[in-house]
Each structure stands twice: as C-alpha cells, then as structure tokens.
C-alpha cells in the first residue's frame, strides 16, 4: 500500500507508474502473444543463413538466441521483426501469421545493436516518435503522449534527461532510451539485437539485471540476441543455442549447461576440454587403457570425452586415472588452472586444482572427470 | 650545484609532440596560405568592387538598373529558381538510391553523376545545341511544333541543370552512405510510413549537407558561363544571364556597368558564404550533435 504521507513516497510512486504502464499495455494490446517459428529457411544469394529453424516462444517469456557470429541468430531476429523476409517457413504471432504483416503493422519493439537513436531529436522526441507517427485516429493526444513518455522515462530511470540529445548521453543511457522508445509503441513482442554489445563490462552487468527487472514488471514477450553466454544464462528464461544456421539446443540455463545436447553446446557454453577416446562394449578406452567411468551408453567406435575443468578430481597416478604432463599453470579465479598434455600426441586438456596443490610445469598429474559427456567423434562440429 | 642545474633542462625544453612543427615551419606555412588567399582571392574581389564603385555609387546603381541588366538579373534568378529545385529532387533521389539500396549499375550511376564535373561546360552546352538546335537531332520536330529550346530560356535552364547536376548529390551521397539504413529501419519498426520516415528521419539527418549542396548549386547556377553562353545566343534583354551580360559589357568597354554587375554576382557569392557561416554558427550545437 502506498503511504499517504507528504511528501509522496518516491518508491511507491515508481511502482504506481509501473503498474500503470503494465495495465495500459494489457488494455491496449490484450496482453502479450507467443511467437511460433516454423521451419524458417533464409538464403542470402545462395548462401544459406538459416536451415529450417523451428521454435516456440511462450507469451511473456524472456528468451535468448545465443551463438557465435554467423550462427544465424541476428538473421532470425530480423525475420521476426520484418526487417528481412524468410525464404521459406512460417512465423506466427499468437495465432496470426506475422509474415503477412509488414514491419509497420507487426507492432514489434526492436532495439538495435547500436541503438539507432534519432540524432536530431531529443530523448523525449525519440521515445514519443512511435506514438506521434500513428494515424490520427489511433494517435494519443499530446498530453497523453507526454504522460506516457514521462512514465517510460521513469521506468528506464532517465527522468530529467528528456531534453538531451542522444549525442549527449552515455552508452548505457542511450541503451535505455532505445528500450523506452521500443516500449512506447506497446509492442506485442520486444526484440533486442546484442543489447549490451557496445557497453563496457560493468555497465553491461548493471543493465542486464535492470533489463530482467523491467521484463518482470512489464511482462513483454522478449527475444534477445547475444554471443555472450554469461549474459544469456543469467538473463533468459530459456536459451536457444544456435550454430551455423541451426538450433543446437533449447533449454533453461541449467539444461544447456548440465545436459548439453551436442558437442557444440558443450564446448560453446562454459569451459570444456575434450579427449579422443574409443568406446568398446560399454567401456571407455583412452589409448588401450580402460577408464573407470562406469558404463557408457554410447555406441562402439571413436568418441570424444567432454568435461569441464572444474569437474575433475586430482589423484595419484594409477591404473584408472588419466595422467598428463603439466605444460602450464595459471591462476584462474579462486583456482589454479593446469594445462596437461595427454599421451604425447598433441592432445591438451585443462583441469582446475586447488591453489595450494603442489605442481610445476613438467610434473605428472593424474585426474578423473567427475562429470562428463560422451559424444560420437563423427558428430557434427 | 651549478653542474646539477645545467643537466636536466635541455631534454625538457626541446621536447615537442610528434605532430607539432617547429615555429619556423609553422610561420612559413601560415604565410604561404595567407599570401595566396590575399593575392588570388581577396585582391581580385576587392578590385571588382573598386571598379564597380569607381565612378560613384550612382553609376553603380545605374549600371545594375539599366534595362538589359535588369533583364539579365531576372533571367538569372528564373534559371536558378528552376534548376536548383530540379537538382534538389534529383540529388535526393539519386543519393537515396545509391546510399540505401544495392542494385546493378550503381557504380555507373555514381560515375555519371560526376560527369558534368569532368566535361568542359562548353561541351555540355554543345550537347544541347546538337540535340535541340535547328540542325540538331530533335531540330525538325521542334521546329514543326514551333518549340524554341536553343537560344531561349529552356535551353539555358537545361544547360544549367546539366552543369549543376552533381552539387547536391555529391554532398548527400557520402553522408547518407555513412549513416546507413538503421535509422530508417528503426522508424519503420516504430510504425512510421515511408513518407514519415523520409520527412522526419532521413531529411533531418542530411539537412545540413542538403543546405550546403543547395547553396553551392545555387551559386554555380547563377554564375555558370560556359555552357550557358553556347546555348543562349546572347540576345540582349532576352537570353543574357548576368555572367553573359558582364562579358558583353566588358567587351564593349563599359567598364563600370560590367563591374557593377560583376560586383552583384560577387556579392551573391559572399552572401551565400555568409548565410552558410551564420547557420553553422547559429546551429553549431545541433550540427555537432548530429555528427556524433
């Protein structure tokens, strides 16, 4: 309950403003819609960018498209926005076909990587733009536009800067103006292209938390593109890992981290090492030695054993462990990162050791992965 | 003590940043630039005004209000009033097409826009004579329909448009290319129509370049001599623009009248510069903001 003590409580004021915005967007567009992507193919002059991508995005979900450059994530986002048209496939907003609508009609809030703020307009006019260009019948009155812009400025914590030009703002502030401008049109779906790409690390972390809060308050169906796995995992409800125009895995941060569906996901998310091994009758062989990894469900044949540096225990050289020659020792956060050369054929892995673990380059260390994944060696990527 | 005091000073005193020239070089460069400006620009300009007012202010007024002179001024204004807007529209369309779209023959279009810069104005004028003159390609057709292009105002306008073709497009293309299409995409995503996007985003983004292009185009349209002299026929009071009238008067030893008109043309150039400077000074903040 907001207290009625004068002066009015600023916190309560902000909450009222936010509730108003939420209520307003619910009234005007009947809530958020989900997005259905069906078998979308995109080819640029014979170069395929997307090979039949299908994805369901829930209403109000915060989804990350994560992948290296060239994975097709930005292409997919631009298709959703209507900036590009797919070569094949369907895109539905709710139950309606979005591809029949051009960009104007699609009512999508798009935040560009470089923000694309209108340089010659003040912050106020930037945010008001989407409302001012509406046809007369749907255009709010000047007073309503003003109220809405001021509310949005409050929401993105930029009150008092409405008369500034974009050139007079910091990177983080521009980012927030871009978001407010996209939210002003009461979008059905909010799309962000590398939203924090141009910011320094500290501002990036702050804005990440802040964007999550905004999403939780306004409840927009939000899809953002990033190449930063940390950003995707921390911010998104679900992460879509993409590589070379295909979706590798869709899942929560825990799922993609703990149960990667492919070697690509394993190596792209988090740190990982891989060892070439052979599977024979359910046993995992390194060279001709069997490793104590229990029964592997993989088919017989060459395979790659993936594990993370921190998922390994160090022991004494012995029968069942993997030994390696230490080639380098680095400090890595609270741990010490050892790089080991295994079997003398150029294979290197990394494992973590306690900082007080006695080790020096040239010494021999034996370890066993405690958590690991086995993928057939001929699997893609 | 004396020894110590001598030691560190020279290294510090002789330090110069890598991009700073010695005072002698700086002085020399500034002197060359100023001397050049004075002798090749300021002095001739001063002489034009000096000659124009040599026989007093009354003679100057007489010179520019003489019947044929007034006709020349009027014609010059008409020609500029047609060719500048024509090239404004063309320049916007061409630079929009070049900067925002990919299409076949784009580099050819860019080259063609530059053509009037590289072709001698006399040749440009001759092209129109060959096309529309009595012996020209369209000559018989035009005569049959009693349409006069060469030795008339339409010919002068055509020649002027041709010569001033590149000015606005050349100013706009680099800035539009640099700005890319993202602002337009943002405007469209916010629900703006194509026309709204053009008027509220594209045009304001290029307005300073556009204004500069228009000023340059206008100065050249009013001052063009070569191409216009070929197509005009130099009929006094009818097809003489200001530069042509100046030449005729000068050839007839009517110094004061010739320089009076020449001074008016020079004044026009100075006013153009002044407008540009005043605008740049007045809107310095906005221009700086637009460039960031």
């Amino acid at each position: 309950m907001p207290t009625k003590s004068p002066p009015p409580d600023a916190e309560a004021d902000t909450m009222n403003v936010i509730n108003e915005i939420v209520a307003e967007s619910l009234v005007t567009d009947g809530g958020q819609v989900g997005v259905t992507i069906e078998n979308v193919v995109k080819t640029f002059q014979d170069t395929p960018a997307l090979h039949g991508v299908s994805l369901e995005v829930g209403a109000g979900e915060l989804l990350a498209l994560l992948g290296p450059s060239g994975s097709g994530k930005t292409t997919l986002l631009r298709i959703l926005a209507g900036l590009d048209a797919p070569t094949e496939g369907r895109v539905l907003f709710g139950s309606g076909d979005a591809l029949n609508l051009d960009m104007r009609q699609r009512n999508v809030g798009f935040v560009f990587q470089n923000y694309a703020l209108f340089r010659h307009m003040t912050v106020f006019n930037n945010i008001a733009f989407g409302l001012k260009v509406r046809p007369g019948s749907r255009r709010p009155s000047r007073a309503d536009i003003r109220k809405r812009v001021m509310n949005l400025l409050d929401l993105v914590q930029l009150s008092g800067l409405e008369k500034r030009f974009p050139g007079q703002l910091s990177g983080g502030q521009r980012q927030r103006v871009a978001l407010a401008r996209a939210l002003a049109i009461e979008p059905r779906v909010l799309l962000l292209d590398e939203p924090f790409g141009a910011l320094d690390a500290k501002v990036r972390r702050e804005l990440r938390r802040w964007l999550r809060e905004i999403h939780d308050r306004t409840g927009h169906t939000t899809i953002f593109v990033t190449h930063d796995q940390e950003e995707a995992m921390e911010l998104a409800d679900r992460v879509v890992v993409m590589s070379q125009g295909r979706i590798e895995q869709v899942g929560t941060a825990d799922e993609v981290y703990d149960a990667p569906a492919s070697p690509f996901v394993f190596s792209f998310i988090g740190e990982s090492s891989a060892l070439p091994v052979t599977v024979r009758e359910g046993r995992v062989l390194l060279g001709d030695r069997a490793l104590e990894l229990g029964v592997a469900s993989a088919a017989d044949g060459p395979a790659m054993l993936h594990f993370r540096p921190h998922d390994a225990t160090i022991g004494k050289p012995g029968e069942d462990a993997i030994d390696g020659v230490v080639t380098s020792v680095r400090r890595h956060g609270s741990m010490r990162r050892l790089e080991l050369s295994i079997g003398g054929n150029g294979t290197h892995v990394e494992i973590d050791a306690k900082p007080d673990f006695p080790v020096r380059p040239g010494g021999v260390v034996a370890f066993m992965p405690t958590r690991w994944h086995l993928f057939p060696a001929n699997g893609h990527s | 003590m004396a020894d110590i005091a001598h030691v560190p000073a020279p290294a510090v005193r002789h330090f110069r940043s890598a991009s700073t020239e010695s005072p002698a070089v700086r002085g020399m460069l500034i002197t060359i630039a100023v001397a050049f400006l004075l002798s090749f620009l300021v002095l001739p300009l001063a002489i034009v005004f000096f000659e124009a007012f040599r026989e007093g202010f009354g003679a100057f007024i007489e010179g520019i209000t003489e019947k044929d002179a007034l006709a020349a001024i009027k014609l010059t204004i008409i020609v500029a009033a047609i060719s500048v807007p024509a090239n404004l529209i063309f320049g916007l369309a061409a630079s929009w097409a070049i900067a925002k779209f990919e299409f076949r023959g784009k580099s050819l279009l860019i080259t063609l826009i530059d053509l009037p810069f590289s072709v001698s104005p006399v040749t440009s004028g001759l092209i129109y004579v060959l096309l529309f003159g009595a012996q020209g390609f369209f000559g018989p057709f035009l005569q049959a329909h009693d349409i006069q292009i060469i030795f008339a105002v339409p010919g002068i306008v055509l020649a002027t448009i041709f010569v001033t073709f590149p000015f606005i497009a050349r100013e706009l293309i680099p800035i539009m290319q640099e700005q890319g299409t993202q602002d337009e995409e943002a405007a469209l995503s916010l629900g703006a129509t194509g026309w709204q996007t053009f008027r509220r985003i594209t045009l304001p983004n290029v307005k300073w370049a556009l204004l500069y292009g228009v000023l340059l185009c206008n100065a050249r349209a009013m001052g063009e001599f070569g191409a216009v002299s070929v197509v005009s026929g130099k009929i006094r009071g009818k097809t003489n623009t200001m530069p042509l009238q100046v030449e005729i008067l000068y050839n007839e030893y009517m110094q004061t009248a010739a320089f009076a008109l020449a001074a008016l043309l020079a004044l026009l150039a100075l006013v153009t510069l002044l407008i540009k400077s005043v605008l740049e000074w007045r809107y310095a903040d906005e221009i700086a903001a637009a460039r960031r």
Side-chain angles (χ1 to χ4, degrees), chain A residues 78 83 103-104 108 110 112 114 116-121 129-130 132-134 165 167-168 181-182 185, chain B residues 179 182-194 196-197 200-201 204-205 286 289-292:
Chain A
R78 289 177 64 88
L83 286 162
M103 191 173 186
R104 287 184 58 214
V108 158
F110 198 97
F112 290 82
N114 300 315
L117 295 179
F118 306 135
R119 277 159 290 193
H120 59 285
M121 289 185 196
F129 184 84
K132 284 184 175 175
V133 296
R134 284 186 182 173
F165 284 93
Q168 299 166 317
R181 185 177 71 177
I185 62 168
Chain B
Q179 287 174 348
Q182 211 166 60
D183 281 12
E184 281 80 12
E185 286 181 346
L188 292 171
S189 82
L190 292 167
T193 61
Q196 282 172 325
T197 304
R200 290 170 179 255
I201 306 300
N205 269 345
E286 205 182 313
R291 282 190 186 147
R292 255 176 297 199

Short mmCIF file of all heavy atoms in Angstrom, two decimals, chain A residues 78 83 103-104 108 110 112 114 116-121 129-130 132-134 165 167-168 181-182 185, chain B residues 179 182-194 196-197 200-201 204-205 286 289-292:
data_model
loop_
_atom_site.label_atom_id
_atom_site.label_comp_id
_atom_site.label_asym_id
_atom_site.label_seq_id
_atom_site.Cartn_x
_atom_site.Cartn_y
_atom_site.Cartn_z
N ARG A 78 15.87 -10.56 -37.21
CA ARG A 78 15.43 -9.60 -38.23
C ARG A 78 14.22 -10.12 -38.98
O ARG A 78 13.38 -9.33 -39.42
CB ARG A 78 16.58 -9.29 -39.20
CG ARG A 78 17.68 -8.43 -38.56
CD ARG A 78 18.84 -8.20 -39.52
NE ARG A 78 18.44 -7.42 -40.68
CZ ARG A 78 18.46 -6.09 -40.72
NH1 ARG A 78 18.86 -5.40 -39.68
NH2 ARG A 78 18.09 -5.45 -41.81
N LEU A 83 12.30 -7.04 -40.76
CA LEU A 83 13.38 -6.35 -41.47
C LEU A 83 13.88 -7.19 -42.63
O LEU A 83 14.43 -6.68 -43.59
CB LEU A 83 14.54 -6.06 -40.53
CG LEU A 83 14.32 -4.93 -39.52
CD1 LEU A 83 15.32 -5.02 -38.39
CD2 LEU A 83 14.42 -3.58 -40.21
N MET A 103 6.57 -4.59 -41.62
CA MET A 103 7.20 -4.20 -40.36
C MET A 103 6.34 -3.23 -39.54
O MET A 103 6.27 -3.32 -38.32
CB MET A 103 8.53 -3.57 -40.71
CG MET A 103 9.38 -3.36 -39.51
SD MET A 103 10.98 -2.82 -40.03
CE MET A 103 11.78 -2.83 -38.45
N ARG A 104 5.70 -2.31 -40.23
CA ARG A 104 4.89 -1.30 -39.54
C ARG A 104 3.74 -1.92 -38.79
O ARG A 104 3.40 -1.51 -37.69
CB ARG A 104 4.28 -0.33 -40.56
CG ARG A 104 5.22 0.63 -41.17
CD ARG A 104 4.42 1.57 -42.06
NE ARG A 104 3.39 2.24 -41.28
CZ ARG A 104 2.20 2.57 -41.74
NH1 ARG A 104 1.86 2.26 -42.97
NH2 ARG A 104 1.34 3.20 -40.98
N VAL A 108 6.22 -4.55 -33.46
CA VAL A 108 7.32 -5.18 -32.76
C VAL A 108 8.24 -4.07 -32.24
O VAL A 108 8.52 -3.12 -32.96
CB VAL A 108 8.09 -6.09 -33.74
CG1 VAL A 108 9.49 -6.34 -33.28
CG2 VAL A 108 7.34 -7.40 -33.92
N PHE A 110 11.80 -3.03 -31.54
CA PHE A 110 13.12 -3.54 -31.93
C PHE A 110 14.19 -2.62 -31.36
O PHE A 110 14.18 -1.42 -31.63
CB PHE A 110 13.23 -3.61 -33.45
CG PHE A 110 14.34 -4.49 -33.94
CD1 PHE A 110 14.09 -5.80 -34.32
CD2 PHE A 110 15.64 -4.01 -34.03
CE1 PHE A 110 15.11 -6.62 -34.77
CE2 PHE A 110 16.66 -4.84 -34.47
CZ PHE A 110 16.39 -6.14 -34.85
N PHE A 112 18.01 -1.83 -31.61
CA PHE A 112 19.14 -2.12 -32.48
C PHE A 112 20.43 -2.18 -31.67
O PHE A 112 20.55 -1.55 -30.63
CB PHE A 112 19.27 -1.05 -33.57
CG PHE A 112 18.18 -1.13 -34.58
CD1 PHE A 112 16.94 -0.56 -34.34
CD2 PHE A 112 18.38 -1.78 -35.78
CE1 PHE A 112 15.92 -0.64 -35.27
CE2 PHE A 112 17.37 -1.86 -36.72
CZ PHE A 112 16.14 -1.29 -36.45
N ASN A 114 23.29 -0.83 -32.22
CA ASN A 114 23.87 0.49 -31.98
C ASN A 114 22.79 1.50 -31.63
O ASN A 114 22.98 2.69 -31.77
CB ASN A 114 24.65 0.95 -33.21
CG ASN A 114 25.76 -0.01 -33.52
OD1 ASN A 114 26.48 -0.44 -32.62
ND2 ASN A 114 25.89 -0.38 -34.78
N ALA A 116 20.45 3.00 -32.85
CA ALA A 116 19.79 3.74 -33.93
C ALA A 116 18.88 4.84 -33.39
O ALA A 116 17.78 5.04 -33.87
CB ALA A 116 19.00 2.79 -34.85
N LEU A 117 19.35 5.55 -32.37
CA LEU A 117 18.57 6.68 -31.88
C LEU A 117 18.59 7.78 -32.93
O LEU A 117 19.56 7.92 -33.66
CB LEU A 117 19.15 7.20 -30.56
CG LEU A 117 19.07 6.23 -29.39
CD1 LEU A 117 19.70 6.85 -28.15
CD2 LEU A 117 17.64 5.82 -29.11
N PHE A 118 17.51 8.56 -32.97
CA PHE A 118 17.45 9.65 -33.94
C PHE A 118 18.26 10.82 -33.40
O PHE A 118 17.88 11.47 -32.43
CB PHE A 118 16.00 10.04 -34.20
CG PHE A 118 15.14 8.86 -34.60
CD1 PHE A 118 13.90 8.66 -34.05
CD2 PHE A 118 15.61 7.94 -35.54
CE1 PHE A 118 13.12 7.57 -34.42
CE2 PHE A 118 14.84 6.86 -35.91
CZ PHE A 118 13.59 6.67 -35.35
N ARG A 119 19.39 11.08 -34.06
CA ARG A 119 20.36 12.04 -33.53
C ARG A 119 19.82 13.45 -33.41
O ARG A 119 20.24 14.22 -32.57
CB ARG A 119 21.58 12.09 -34.47
CG ARG A 119 22.57 11.02 -34.21
CD ARG A 119 23.41 10.83 -35.44
NE ARG A 119 22.60 10.22 -36.49
CZ ARG A 119 23.11 9.70 -37.59
NH1 ARG A 119 24.39 9.76 -37.80
NH2 ARG A 119 22.33 9.15 -38.50
N HIS A 120 18.91 13.80 -34.34
CA HIS A 120 18.46 15.18 -34.36
C HIS A 120 17.27 15.41 -33.44
O HIS A 120 16.70 16.49 -33.42
CB HIS A 120 18.10 15.57 -35.79
CG HIS A 120 17.02 14.70 -36.37
ND1 HIS A 120 17.27 13.41 -36.78
CD2 HIS A 120 15.71 14.91 -36.55
CE1 HIS A 120 16.14 12.88 -37.23
NE2 HIS A 120 15.18 13.76 -37.09
N MET A 121 16.87 14.37 -32.72
CA MET A 121 15.71 14.52 -31.84
C MET A 121 16.16 14.39 -30.38
O MET A 121 17.09 13.66 -30.07
CB MET A 121 14.70 13.41 -32.10
CG MET A 121 13.98 13.51 -33.40
SD MET A 121 12.73 12.21 -33.45
CE MET A 121 12.38 12.22 -35.19
N PHE A 129 8.35 9.14 -30.71
CA PHE A 129 8.26 9.01 -32.17
C PHE A 129 7.17 8.03 -32.60
O PHE A 129 6.32 8.35 -33.43
CB PHE A 129 9.61 8.58 -32.75
CG PHE A 129 9.63 8.51 -34.24
CD1 PHE A 129 9.85 9.64 -35.00
CD2 PHE A 129 9.41 7.31 -34.90
CE1 PHE A 129 9.87 9.59 -36.38
CE2 PHE A 129 9.41 7.24 -36.28
CZ PHE A 129 9.64 8.39 -37.02
N GLY A 130 7.22 6.82 -32.02
CA GLY A 130 6.28 5.77 -32.43
C GLY A 130 4.82 6.16 -32.20
O GLY A 130 3.93 5.68 -32.89
N LYS A 132 3.79 9.49 -32.15
CA LYS A 132 3.49 10.66 -32.98
C LYS A 132 3.21 10.30 -34.43
O LYS A 132 2.54 11.05 -35.13
CB LYS A 132 4.67 11.65 -32.93
CG LYS A 132 4.74 12.43 -31.63
CD LYS A 132 5.86 13.44 -31.71
CE LYS A 132 5.89 14.34 -30.49
NZ LYS A 132 7.06 15.24 -30.52
N VAL A 133 3.80 9.20 -34.90
CA VAL A 133 3.61 8.88 -36.32
C VAL A 133 2.36 8.03 -36.56
O VAL A 133 2.07 7.66 -37.69
CB VAL A 133 4.83 8.13 -36.92
CG1 VAL A 133 6.06 9.01 -36.90
CG2 VAL A 133 5.10 6.82 -36.20
N ARG A 134 1.62 7.76 -35.50
CA ARG A 134 0.40 6.98 -35.71
C ARG A 134 -0.62 7.80 -36.49
O ARG A 134 -0.66 9.02 -36.36
CB ARG A 134 -0.21 6.59 -34.36
CG ARG A 134 0.54 5.47 -33.70
CD ARG A 134 -0.17 5.03 -32.47
NE ARG A 134 0.56 3.98 -31.81
CZ ARG A 134 0.23 3.50 -30.62
NH1 ARG A 134 -0.82 3.98 -29.98
NH2 ARG A 134 0.93 2.55 -30.07
N PHE A 165 20.05 15.50 -26.21
CA PHE A 165 20.15 14.81 -27.48
C PHE A 165 20.95 13.53 -27.27
O PHE A 165 21.77 13.46 -26.34
CB PHE A 165 20.85 15.70 -28.52
CG PHE A 165 19.95 16.78 -29.05
CD1 PHE A 165 19.94 18.05 -28.48
CD2 PHE A 165 19.10 16.51 -30.11
CE1 PHE A 165 19.09 19.03 -28.96
CE2 PHE A 165 18.25 17.49 -30.60
CZ PHE A 165 18.24 18.75 -30.02
N GLY A 167 23.51 12.37 -28.58
CA GLY A 167 24.94 12.60 -28.53
C GLY A 167 25.45 13.04 -27.18
O GLY A 167 26.64 13.00 -26.91
N GLN A 168 24.52 13.48 -26.32
CA GLN A 168 24.94 13.97 -25.00
C GLN A 168 24.76 12.92 -23.91
O GLN A 168 24.85 13.22 -22.74
CB GLN A 168 24.11 15.22 -24.65
CG GLN A 168 24.31 16.36 -25.64
CD GLN A 168 23.26 17.43 -25.50
OE1 GLN A 168 22.08 17.14 -25.33
NE2 GLN A 168 23.68 18.68 -25.57
N ARG A 181 11.99 3.73 -26.15
CA ARG A 181 11.38 4.04 -27.44
C ARG A 181 10.65 2.82 -28.00
O ARG A 181 9.56 2.93 -28.55
CB ARG A 181 12.47 4.50 -28.42
CG ARG A 181 11.95 4.95 -29.74
CD ARG A 181 13.06 5.45 -30.64
NE ARG A 181 13.89 4.35 -31.11
CZ ARG A 181 14.90 4.49 -31.96
NH1 ARG A 181 15.22 5.68 -32.41
NH2 ARG A 181 15.62 3.46 -32.34
N ALA A 182 11.27 1.64 -27.84
CA ALA A 182 10.64 0.42 -28.33
C ALA A 182 9.40 0.07 -27.51
O ALA A 182 8.41 -0.42 -28.04
CB ALA A 182 11.64 -0.73 -28.31
N ILE A 185 5.57 1.96 -28.08
CA ILE A 185 4.54 1.60 -29.05
C ILE A 185 3.71 0.42 -28.57
O ILE A 185 2.95 -0.16 -29.32
CB ILE A 185 5.14 1.29 -30.44
CG1 ILE A 185 6.10 0.09 -30.36
CG2 ILE A 185 5.85 2.49 -31.01
CD1 ILE A 185 6.49 -0.45 -31.73
N GLN B 179 25.57 7.10 -42.86
CA GLN B 179 24.50 6.90 -41.89
C GLN B 179 23.80 5.56 -42.04
O GLN B 179 23.17 5.08 -41.10
CB GLN B 179 23.50 8.05 -41.98
CG GLN B 179 24.08 9.33 -41.41
CD GLN B 179 23.18 10.52 -41.61
OE1 GLN B 179 22.22 10.45 -42.38
NE2 GLN B 179 23.49 11.60 -40.95
N GLN B 182 19.95 2.13 -40.75
CA GLN B 182 19.41 1.68 -39.46
C GLN B 182 18.38 2.65 -38.88
O GLN B 182 17.37 2.21 -38.32
CB GLN B 182 20.54 1.46 -38.48
CG GLN B 182 20.20 0.35 -37.51
CD GLN B 182 21.40 -0.13 -36.74
OE1 GLN B 182 22.03 0.63 -36.02
NE2 GLN B 182 21.71 -1.38 -36.89
N ASP B 183 18.62 3.95 -39.02
CA ASP B 183 17.64 4.91 -38.51
C ASP B 183 16.29 4.72 -39.20
O ASP B 183 15.24 4.80 -38.56
CB ASP B 183 18.13 6.35 -38.74
CG ASP B 183 19.17 6.75 -37.72
OD1 ASP B 183 19.66 5.86 -37.00
OD2 ASP B 183 19.49 7.95 -37.64
N GLU B 184 16.34 4.47 -40.50
CA GLU B 184 15.10 4.27 -41.24
C GLU B 184 14.40 2.99 -40.78
O GLU B 184 13.19 2.95 -40.61
CB GLU B 184 15.36 4.21 -42.75
CG GLU B 184 15.57 5.57 -43.41
CD GLU B 184 16.95 6.14 -43.21
OE1 GLU B 184 17.84 5.38 -42.75
OE2 GLU B 184 17.16 7.33 -43.49
N GLU B 185 15.21 1.95 -40.58
CA GLU B 185 14.63 0.69 -40.09
C GLU B 185 13.98 0.90 -38.73
O GLU B 185 12.89 0.40 -38.46
CB GLU B 185 15.72 -0.39 -39.97
CG GLU B 185 16.17 -0.95 -41.31
CD GLU B 185 17.23 -2.02 -41.17
OE1 GLU B 185 17.82 -2.15 -40.08
OE2 GLU B 185 17.47 -2.73 -42.17
N ALA B 186 14.64 1.66 -37.88
CA ALA B 186 14.09 1.93 -36.56
C ALA B 186 12.76 2.67 -36.69
O ALA B 186 11.77 2.32 -36.02
CB ALA B 186 15.08 2.76 -35.73
N ALA B 187 12.71 3.67 -37.56
CA ALA B 187 11.48 4.44 -37.73
C ALA B 187 10.35 3.55 -38.24
O ALA B 187 9.22 3.61 -37.75
CB ALA B 187 11.72 5.60 -38.69
N LEU B 188 10.66 2.70 -39.21
CA LEU B 188 9.64 1.80 -39.75
C LEU B 188 9.15 0.84 -38.67
O LEU B 188 7.96 0.56 -38.57
CB LEU B 188 10.20 1.02 -40.95
CG LEU B 188 10.51 1.85 -42.19
CD1 LEU B 188 11.25 1.00 -43.22
CD2 LEU B 188 9.23 2.40 -42.81
N SER B 189 10.08 0.34 -37.86
CA SER B 189 9.68 -0.61 -36.82
C SER B 189 8.79 0.07 -35.79
O SER B 189 8.00 -0.58 -35.11
CB SER B 189 10.91 -1.23 -36.14
OG SER B 189 11.42 -0.36 -35.15
N LEU B 190 8.92 1.39 -35.67
CA LEU B 190 8.08 2.11 -34.73
C LEU B 190 6.75 2.51 -35.35
O LEU B 190 5.95 3.21 -34.74
CB LEU B 190 8.81 3.35 -34.22
CG LEU B 190 10.03 3.05 -33.33
CD1 LEU B 190 10.88 4.29 -33.13
CD2 LEU B 190 9.59 2.50 -32.00
N GLY B 191 6.53 2.08 -36.59
CA GLY B 191 5.22 2.27 -37.20
C GLY B 191 5.13 3.43 -38.17
O GLY B 191 4.05 3.75 -38.65
N ALA B 192 6.24 4.09 -38.48
CA ALA B 192 6.19 5.22 -39.40
C ALA B 192 5.99 4.73 -40.83
O ALA B 192 6.47 3.65 -41.19
CB ALA B 192 7.48 6.03 -39.30
N THR B 193 5.31 5.52 -41.64
CA THR B 193 5.18 5.20 -43.06
C THR B 193 6.46 5.60 -43.76
O THR B 193 7.31 6.28 -43.19
CB THR B 193 4.02 5.97 -43.70
OG1 THR B 193 4.29 7.36 -43.56
CG2 THR B 193 2.69 5.65 -43.03
N GLY B 194 6.58 5.21 -45.04
CA GLY B 194 7.76 5.56 -45.81
C GLY B 194 7.95 7.07 -45.88
O GLY B 194 9.05 7.59 -45.70
N GLN B 196 6.68 9.39 -43.81
CA GLN B 196 7.02 9.91 -42.48
C GLN B 196 8.49 9.68 -42.16
O GLN B 196 9.17 10.54 -41.61
CB GLN B 196 6.17 9.22 -41.41
CG GLN B 196 4.74 9.75 -41.33
CD GLN B 196 3.89 8.91 -40.39
OE1 GLN B 196 4.05 7.70 -40.30
NE2 GLN B 196 2.97 9.56 -39.71
N THR B 197 8.97 8.48 -42.55
CA THR B 197 10.37 8.16 -42.30
C THR B 197 11.28 9.11 -43.06
O THR B 197 12.25 9.63 -42.52
CB THR B 197 10.65 6.71 -42.75
OG1 THR B 197 9.76 5.86 -42.07
CG2 THR B 197 12.08 6.30 -42.42
N ARG B 200 10.77 12.80 -41.47
CA ARG B 200 11.15 13.02 -40.08
C ARG B 200 12.53 12.48 -39.73
O ARG B 200 13.12 12.89 -38.74
CB ARG B 200 10.13 12.35 -39.14
CG ARG B 200 8.79 13.05 -39.13
CD ARG B 200 7.80 12.17 -38.39
NE ARG B 200 6.49 12.77 -38.30
CZ ARG B 200 6.02 13.33 -37.18
NH1 ARG B 200 6.75 13.35 -36.10
NH2 ARG B 200 4.81 13.84 -37.16
N ILE B 201 13.01 11.52 -40.52
CA ILE B 201 14.30 10.90 -40.17
C ILE B 201 15.36 11.21 -41.23
O ILE B 201 16.38 11.82 -40.96
CB ILE B 201 14.16 9.37 -40.00
CG1 ILE B 201 13.07 9.05 -39.00
CG2 ILE B 201 15.50 8.75 -39.62
CD1 ILE B 201 13.31 9.60 -37.61
N PRO B 204 15.92 15.24 -42.01
CA PRO B 204 16.65 15.96 -40.95
C PRO B 204 18.09 15.47 -40.78
O PRO B 204 18.97 16.26 -40.47
CB PRO B 204 15.84 15.66 -39.69
CG PRO B 204 14.49 15.30 -40.17
CD PRO B 204 14.68 14.65 -41.50
N ASN B 205 18.32 14.18 -41.03
CA ASN B 205 19.68 13.66 -40.88
C ASN B 205 20.64 14.25 -41.89
O ASN B 205 21.84 14.29 -41.65
CB ASN B 205 19.67 12.13 -41.05
CG ASN B 205 19.50 11.42 -39.73
OD1 ASN B 205 19.64 12.02 -38.67
ND2 ASN B 205 19.19 10.15 -39.79
N GLU B 286 23.52 21.77 -32.71
CA GLU B 286 22.73 20.75 -33.39
C GLU B 286 23.57 19.99 -34.41
O GLU B 286 23.46 18.78 -34.54
CB GLU B 286 21.56 21.43 -34.08
CG GLU B 286 20.38 20.52 -34.31
CD GLU B 286 19.28 21.25 -35.04
OE1 GLU B 286 18.95 22.40 -34.65
OE2 GLU B 286 18.78 20.69 -36.00
N ALA B 289 25.80 17.68 -32.60
CA ALA B 289 25.03 16.54 -32.08
C ALA B 289 24.72 15.57 -33.20
O ALA B 289 24.77 14.35 -33.02
CB ALA B 289 23.73 17.02 -31.43
N ALA B 290 24.43 16.10 -34.38
CA ALA B 290 24.05 15.24 -35.50
C ALA B 290 25.23 14.40 -35.98
O ALA B 290 25.05 13.36 -36.56
CB ALA B 290 23.53 16.09 -36.65
N ARG B 291 26.44 14.91 -35.72
CA ARG B 291 27.60 14.19 -36.24
C ARG B 291 28.09 13.13 -35.27
O ARG B 291 28.88 12.28 -35.64
CB ARG B 291 28.73 15.16 -36.53
CG ARG B 291 28.47 15.89 -37.83
CD ARG B 291 29.64 16.69 -38.30
NE ARG B 291 29.22 17.45 -39.47
CZ ARG B 291 29.70 18.65 -39.75
NH1 ARG B 291 30.58 19.20 -38.97
NH2 ARG B 291 29.28 19.29 -40.82
N ARG B 292 27.68 13.22 -34.01
CA ARG B 292 28.18 12.25 -33.05
C ARG B 292 27.57 10.89 -33.23
O ARG B 292 26.49 10.76 -33.76
CB ARG B 292 27.92 12.75 -31.63
CG ARG B 292 29.23 13.23 -31.02
CD ARG B 292 29.00 13.82 -29.66
NE ARG B 292 28.16 14.98 -29.72
CZ ARG B 292 28.08 15.88 -28.75
NH1 ARG B 292 28.78 15.75 -27.67
NH2 ARG B 292 27.28 16.91 -28.86
#
